[in-house]
């Protein structure tokens, strides 16, 4: 097989032919708090080379950025939108697999008050002011603005199959060029697979087919996919992306570059309440160590369950355990943890080095893990309503400490 696109760009990079400087229209219009990491700069350099210098580039551009979870793909999306605006694109279709992700994404793109806002407060491109707008349709949009239609792939498919008034339709994509941005794009590969599960067979008739149909409506449409988990071990998918992966930044490289957390796996053959108590103590230990070093760190525990019923029961059990927690219970857990190096270290630090008594530690946990700081996200409506709060877990005024979930937070 010939060299893949990624391998070709690797060769260009090896000879130092990638641009080192990112255009001011990109750098000057990202939020001041955003400092691009080296690998994000590399991704942009590869994009700039491909869009400006790559002679075999097709007009209908379809690319994949295969990048590790947590590596800042959304920042890269924002940078690409800015660059594409200066190249004449005005309309952007942003779609994801989950409705629960939409609100937090819109907040990141549109709300200047958000701590995770992606853009400068005032955008200027080619020395002209530019606004960013969420739109329901691309008909009669502002020709000087960045117009973004946010949707799910399921919702997009439904609207293409059953058009309704004042909503985007397939015909909307025939009269003007659109950049399609797909987050968690591995969901689009159901049609590519030879063997499909029942669910994938249903997806085949919708998601990938709909996206392909929109992509072909205009000769200058673009499809930019972002995911951490495309299945390149699958022959058909690997062949599909052979000439489309512009940048491959693996989780292994992400960890080697020291941007990922070091994970310690722990197993405990204990009842759920005791495991939850251990998690709470270790979470508080992390918070105290950070505070001792002058760092703001509010660890959040994700309590995963197999079923929604079990998750609800675990939430009740957790709140009951916290409400009834006593110094004696913590002392008993400490005594039982002598053979557990990490848990013993946590208790030694809190109760010896920090001189916190068992009774005072219990009172502290009552407050820090009170019911109002615990959320269950298994109800889709509740999750959608709380997306902004969940998107800002690290904000100083966000005190959520525990999240109960089944599958709702697997992506995004």
């Amino acid at each position: 097989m010939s060299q893949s696109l990624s391998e070709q760009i690797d060769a260009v990079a090896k000879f130092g032919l990638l641009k080192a400087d990112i255009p001011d229209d990109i750098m000057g219009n990202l939020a001041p708090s955003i400092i691009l990491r080296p690998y994000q700069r590399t991704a942009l350099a590869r994009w700039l080379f491909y869009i400006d210098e790559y002679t075999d580039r097709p007009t209908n551009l379809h690319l994949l950025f295969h990048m590790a979870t947590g590596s800042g793909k959304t920042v890269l999306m924002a940078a690409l939108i800015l660059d594409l605006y200066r190249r004449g694109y005005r309309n952007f279709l942003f779609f994801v697999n989950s409705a629960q992700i939409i609100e937090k994404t819109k907040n990141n793109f549109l709300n200047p008050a958000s701590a995770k806002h992606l853009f400068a407060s005032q955008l200027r491109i080619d020395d002209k002011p530019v606004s960013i707008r969420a739109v329901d349709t691309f008909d009669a949009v502002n020709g000087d603005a960045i117009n973004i239609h946010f949707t799910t792939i399921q919702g997009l498919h439904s609207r293409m199959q059953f058009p309704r008034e004042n909503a985007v339709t397939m015909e909307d994509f025939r009269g003007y060029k659109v950049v399609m941005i797909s987050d968690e794009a591995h969901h689009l590969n159901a049609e590519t697979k030879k063997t499909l599960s029942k669910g994938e067979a249903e997806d085949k008739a919708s998601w990938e087919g709909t996206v392909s149909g929109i992509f072909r409506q205009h000769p200058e449409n673009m499809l930019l996919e972002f995911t951490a988990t495309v299945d390149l071990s699958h022959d058909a998918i690997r062949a599909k992306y052979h000439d489309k992966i512009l940048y491959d930044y693996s989780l292994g490289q992400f960890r080697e570059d020291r941007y990922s957390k070091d994970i310690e796996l722990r197993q405990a053959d204990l009842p759920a309440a005791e495991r939850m108590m251990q998690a709470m103590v270790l979470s508080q230990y992390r918070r105290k160590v950070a505070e001792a070093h002058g760092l703001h760190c509010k660890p959040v525990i994700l309590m995963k369950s197999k079923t929604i019923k079990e998750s609800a029961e675990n939430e009740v059990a957790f709140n009951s355990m916290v409400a009834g927690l006593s110094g004696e219970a913590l002392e008993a857990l400490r005594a039982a943890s002598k053979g557990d190096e990490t848990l013993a270290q946590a208790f030694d630090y809190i109760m010896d080095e920090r001189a916190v008594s068992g009774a005072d530690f219990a009172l502290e946990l009552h407050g820090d893990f009170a019911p109002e700081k615990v959320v269950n996200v298994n109800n889709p409506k509740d999750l959608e309503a709380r997306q902004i709060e969940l998107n800002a877990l690290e904000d100083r005024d966000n005190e959520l400490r525990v999240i109960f979930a089944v599958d709702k937070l697997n992506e995004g």
Side-chain angles (χ1 to χ4, degrees):
M1 184 179 283
S2 61
Q3 272 192 325
S4 68
L5 174 61
S6 184
E7 290 169 338
Q8 292 177 52
I9 306 296
D10 285 345
V12 171
K14 183 178 180 180
F15 289 101
L17 299 178
L18 297 185
K19 297 177 182 178
D21 296 329
I22 308 300
D24 290 341
D25 280 338
I26 296 177
M27 297 304 299
N29 286 301
L30 291 174
S33 60
I34 293 176
I35 300 175
L36 293 179
R37 293 172 174 176
Y39 62 82
Q40 291 169 321
R41 286 182 165 272
T42 296
L44 285 172
R46 293 169 78 97
W47 160 262
L48 292 169
F49 173 84
Y50 185 80
I51 202 80
D52 290 327
E53 308 289 344
Y54 191 77
T55 56
D56 293 333
R57 176 171 64 83
T59 304
N60 262 96
L61 192 60
H62 180 186
L63 294 173
L64 171 67
F65 292 85
H66 191 216
M67 299 175 67
T69 298
S71 61
K73 294 187 288 294
T74 311
V75 170
L76 185 57
M77 294 174 198
L80 293 178
I81 287 173
L82 293 168
D83 188 60
L84 285 164
Y85 181 92
R86 73 188 184 103
R87 297 177 188 276
Y89 285 85
R90 298 293 183 268
N91 302 316
F92 299 84
L93 176 64
F94 186 101
F95 56 95
V96 295
N97 181 55
S98 170
Q100 288 78 32
I101 299 174
I102 291 293
E103 288 307 313
K104 76 151 192 174
T105 303
K106 290 173 70 173
N107 198 50
N108 292 347
F109 275 84
L110 303 173
N111 181 10
S114 168
K116 291 188 176 181
H117 186 56
L118 296 163
F119 299 103
S121 57
Q122 294 185 339
L123 271 64
R124 295 191 70 85
I125 299 178
D126 291 334
D127 205 31
K128 297 178 180 178
V130 177
S131 61
I132 303 176
R133 302 183 178 189
V135 298
D136 294 323
T137 174
F138 293 122
D139 185 34
V141 296
N142 186 322
D144 294 325
I146 294 172
N147 305 290
I148 309 178
H149 179 71
F150 296 91
T151 184
T152 63
I153 183 57
Q154 301 94 326
L156 181 63
H157 170 71
S158 176
R159 289 192 289 279
M160 296 302 100
Q161 298 301 309
F162 309 101
R164 62 179 187 270
E165 191 175 357
N166 297 322
V168 66
T169 67
M170 190 68 77
E171 287 71 26
D172 283 344
F173 300 98
R174 292 178 184 167
Y176 36 74
K177 57 191 181 184
V178 174
V179 179
M180 306 164 68
I181 299 175
S182 173
D183 196 11
E184 304 296 349
H186 53 280
H187 292 287
L188 297 181
N189 289 317
E191 191 173 70
T192 301
K193 293 183 178 180
K194 305 287 186 186
T195 304
L196 305 177
S197 68
K198 180 180 178 181
E200 288 171 336
E202 294 172 353
D203 294 345
K204 176 179 178 180
S206 57
W207 302 350
E208 193 171 8
T210 292
V211 171
S212 297
I214 295 172
F215 181 59
R216 293 191 298 265
Q217 292 301 309
H218 191 284
E220 293 182 74
N221 279 354
M222 289 189 185
L223 174 56
L224 305 179
E225 298 185 29
F226 296 81
T227 185
T229 54
V230 69
D231 184 11
L232 295 177
S233 65
H234 193 287
D235 291 343
I237 292 177
R238 186 169 62 254
K240 173 183 176 179
Y241 287 105
H242 182 73
D243 61 348
K244 296 178 179 64
I245 298 180
L246 185 63
Y247 190 38
D248 193 352
Y249 187 64
S250 67
L251 178 60
Q253 188 62 53
F254 188 50
R255 291 196 66 206
E256 188 175 318
D257 291 343
R258 302 184 67 83
Y259 290 110
S260 175
K261 300 171 184 173
D262 284 327
I263 305 299
E264 177 184 332
L265 296 177
R266 295 173 50 82
Q267 291 183 321
D269 188 16
L270 295 169
E274 293 183 33
R275 281 183 279 129
M276 289 190 286
M277 187 187 298
Q278 287 190 7
M280 182 172 58
V281 169
L282 291 173
S283 178
Q284 200 70 351
Y285 168 52
R286 291 182 61 207
R287 184 170 202 172
K288 286 182 174 295
V289 169
E291 288 173 350
H293 289 81
L295 301 173
H296 170 72
C297 176
K298 187 261 309 179
V300 180
I301 304 170
L302 177 62
M303 303 281 195
K304 293 279 284 184
S305 304
K306 291 181 179 179
T307 67
I308 292 176
K309 181 175 181 292
E310 181 182 320
S311 183
E313 292 171 349
N314 285 337
E315 181 187 10
V316 171
F318 178 81
N319 288 332
S320 177
M321 180 267 291
V322 172
L325 193 63
S326 64
E328 290 77 9
L330 289 169
E331 292 283 7
L333 180 60
R334 183 185 189 185
S337 68
K338 296 299 183 183
D340 184 326
E341 182 179 353
T342 303
L343 196 56
Q345 182 178 320
F347 275 113
D348 290 346
Y349 179 81
I350 294 168
M351 302 180 84
D352 293 340
E353 290 186 43
R354 306 288 295 193
V356 178
S357 68
D360 287 343
F361 190 22
L363 286 173
E364 181 181 302
L365 295 176
H366 288 164
D368 277 20
F369 291 88
E372 63 270 17
K373 299 176 182 180
V374 178
V375 60
N376 191 311
V377 298
N378 292 311
N379 183 321
K381 291 184 179 179
D382 289 346
L383 177 56
E384 190 168 346
R386 303 194 75 155
Q387 267 300 315
I388 305 304
E389 187 178 21
L390 292 169
N391 189 41
L393 289 173
E394 64 270 48
D395 286 3
R396 288 182 178 274
D397 59 353
N398 185 311
E399 274 299 310
L400 286 183
R401 294 298 301 272
V402 184
I403 300 172
F404 284 86
V406 178
D407 290 320
K408 295 297 182 183
L409 299 179
N410 286 353
E411 295 177 347

